[in-house]
Amino acid sequence: MKEKILVTGGAGYVGSHIVVRLLNGGWRVVILDNLSNSHPAVVKRIQRVTGRTVDLVVGDIRDRLCLRRLFQEHSVRAVIHLAGLKSIRESELHPLRYYDHNLFGSAILFDEMINADVNIAVFSSSATVYGPTGCEKCKESATPAPINTYGKTKQMVEEVLKDLRRSNPKWQAAILRYFNCAGAHESGLIGENPLGEPNNLLPILTQVASRKRKRFSIFGSDYPTRDGTALRDYVHVEDLAEAHISALNGLLNGSPGWTINLGSGVTHTLFEVVRSFEKVSETKIPFEILDRRTGDLAECCADPTLARTLLSWEAKQNLDRICEDAWRWQKRNPWGYAHG
Ligand SMILES: NC(=O)c1ccc[n+]([C@@H]2O[C@H](COP(=O)([O-])OP(=O)(O)OC[C@H]3O[C@@H](n4cnc5c(N)ncnc54)[C@H](O)[C@@H]3O)[C@@H](O)[C@H]2O)c1
């Protein structure tokens, strides 16, 4: 059996898929999650999918005592750090909440890692660190210029990790900038289960398809793109999870770390996503076209070259597969994990 990995936010959407991959790869896992946007039933599902057990510590990354106890009770080799808040809109309304969870929470976690002599971290950053220009093929070398509080907190945590690396060469950190993560585990047992209003596209589409929501709102159909709607780079959550395992292995094999885009390098318009979803779900998605939202970009796409070179990773699943898996998850779990 391999060593133990702490996954903060491991009960959440991306985290639960990473935990499945870790367990299937022979790692032992402890999850730390305050369950503010997740359900404890995910642990049973993970166990059903993998046939392996996983420890869940219900707690907050801002709680030093909880972290101290966790590191005393579990011999952790590395941390995959996903815990945090992720709504751009909410971050604009409640910036302090975002600085508190995302920035201060991360600083407390890293400090307790130092106290526990754990110095390997994989961090979930985001394409939102890129500014409004140059997003056609974002390169990691571009100067970050986030335009919302959420993106700023991600960029600041990236800087904290880089400073830690500079302060002590023992620190190894992989900073992974996700593009639009979507899809679900192919078993239909694990998927995205937002507790409040969903922010991401696929949960909204699945809610419209299952008549929980009347229509899908498209903000802007006059962008300079092939059909006027915004272009985004969608990456399957299973592909994303696999990239974390590659990054973890790279760090454990001695790499000091890197900052890497996780995207497919291919973009789809909103209309293309709607059409793909209608095809695989055999449903009709009623939609309305509204004005553009401030801050939305015409296009956001990853340059995935560095991920290929450094992690030998590339996204394998296409848009139809993303929609198919998201729809299977929704059909089998109309109320998410609420019924266990
Ligand atoms: N989903 C995406 O498309 C996407 C894109 C870019 C970056 N990210 C980042 O990836 C990470 C995971 O995203 P996700 O989509 O799985 O979100 P999620 O909300 O499903 O998962 C985050 C988890 O963290 C937990 N959490 C939140 N604050 C916490 C705290 N203070 N202490 C302990 N646990 C806490 C939540 O309960 C949740 O289970 C986030 O950091 C997010 O910003 C996600």
Side-chain angles (χ1 to χ4, degrees):
M1 194 64 65
K2 291 184 187 166
E3 292 153 301
K4 192 171 258 190
I5 309 299
L6 165 61
V7 183
T8 74
Y13 170 45
V14 180
S16 52
H17 290 81
I18 294 173
V19 171
V20 166
R21 289 250 164 182
L22 286 167
L23 292 171
N24 283 339
W27 302 93
R28 289 175 298 136
V29 176
V30 54
I31 293 172
L32 173 66
D33 200 302
N34 68 4
L35 303 180
S36 58
N37 196 33
S38 47
H39 197 285
V42 72
V43 168
K44 274 197 214 137
R45 300 290 187 95
I46 290 172
Q47 289 175 179
R48 239 173 100 186
V49 170
T50 60
R52 298 264 325 273
T53 55
V54 57
D55 294 313
L56 168 67
V57 174
V58 178
D60 200 291
I61 51 167
R62 297 165 302 170
D63 181 347
R64 275 188 187 278
L65 286 179
C66 168
L67 285 165
R68 226 163 267 178
R69 236 182 352 251
L70 187 151
F71 283 118
Q72 272 161 14
E73 287 170 10
H74 301 266
S75 171
V76 170
R77 178 74 174 100
V79 177
I80 299 183
H81 174 35
L82 301 106
L85 306 179
K86 62 166 185 177
S87 158
I88 290 178
R89 211 170 61 87
E90 190 193 34
S91 79
E92 293 299 278
L93 296 173
H94 305 288
L96 281 179
R97 202 180 287 170
Y98 275 67
Y99 286 111
D100 188 25
H101 282 262
N102 293 6
L103 178 59
F104 298 132
S106 298
I108 291 168
L109 170 70
F110 301 151
D111 197 30
E112 289 306 324
M113 284 172 66
I114 292 173
N115 289 336
D117 203 21
V118 178
N119 39 48
I120 297 181
V122 178
F123 172 59
S124 305
S125 189
S126 162
T128 48
V129 301
Y130 293 110
T133 52
C135 253
E136 287 79 18
K137 277 276 178 191
C138 298
K139 275 192 189 307
E140 293 84 347
S141 53
T143 308
I147 55 168
N148 51 62
T149 303
Y150 167 71
K152 286 177 193 165
T153 64
K154 289 291 180 189
Q155 189 210 340
M156 286 176 193
V157 177
E158 288 191 1
E159 293 303 318
V160 171
L161 281 169
K162 287 177 195 163
D163 287 345
L164 281 171
R165 247 164 42 191
R166 266 203 308 275
S167 73
N168 183 348
K170 267 171 69 183
W171 265 92
Q172 298 165 266
I175 294 165
L176 305 179
R177 292 178 176 161
Y178 309 171
F179 282 67
N180 291 66
C181 177
H185 193 266
E186 64 174 349
S187 63
L189 288 169
I190 295 173
E192 190 165 7
N193 179 43
L195 292 188
E197 190 67 7
N199 295 300
N200 292 345
L201 176 59
L202 264 294
I204 298 176
L205 281 179
T206 58
Q207 288 190 356
V208 176
S210 52
R211 306 289 171 245
K212 280 191 198 153
R213 182 186 282 264
K214 274 203 176 123
R215 62 186 74 87
F216 175 57
S217 305
I218 292 179
F219 296 94
S221 62
D222 56 351
Y223 285 108
T225 62
R226 38 187 184 267
D227 62 20
T229 62
L231 285 161
R232 293 289 178 272
D233 180 334
Y234 298 94
V235 56
H236 197 293
V237 64
E238 281 284 90
D239 281 331
L240 212 62
E242 189 195 313
H244 286 71
I245 308 298
S246 303
L248 178 66
N249 281 326
L251 296 177
L252 291 170
N253 287 332
S255 166
W258 345 255
T259 300
I260 298 181
N261 286 338
L262 295 183
S264 64
V266 175
T267 51
H268 294 282
T269 67
L270 278 177
F271 278 141
E272 286 165 358
V273 180
V274 170
R275 274 198 298 275
S276 164
F277 190 82
E278 286 183 330
K279 183 178 73 185
V280 306
S281 65
E282 297 174 338
T283 59
K284 199 83 203 129
I285 300 290
F287 64 85
E288 61 182 348
I289 295 185
L290 303 173
D291 288 344
R292 291 184 188 190
R293 283 182 305 202
T294 338
D296 278 356
L297 306 174
E299 179 168 3
C300 186
C301 181
D303 178 336
T305 313
L306 211 54
R308 255 197 310 265
T309 314
L310 295 175
L311 300 183
S312 304
W313 174 88
E314 61 186 356
K316 296 189 192 85
Q317 311 300 346
N318 64 16
L319 180 61
D320 283 353
R321 176 65 191 274
I322 286 175
C323 292
E324 229 172 86
D325 289 342
W327 182 232
R328 186 184 309 107
W329 156 252
Q330 169 67 35
K331 273 190 307 186
R332 292 199 184 165
N333 309 273
W335 307 108
Y337 298 115
H339 300 304

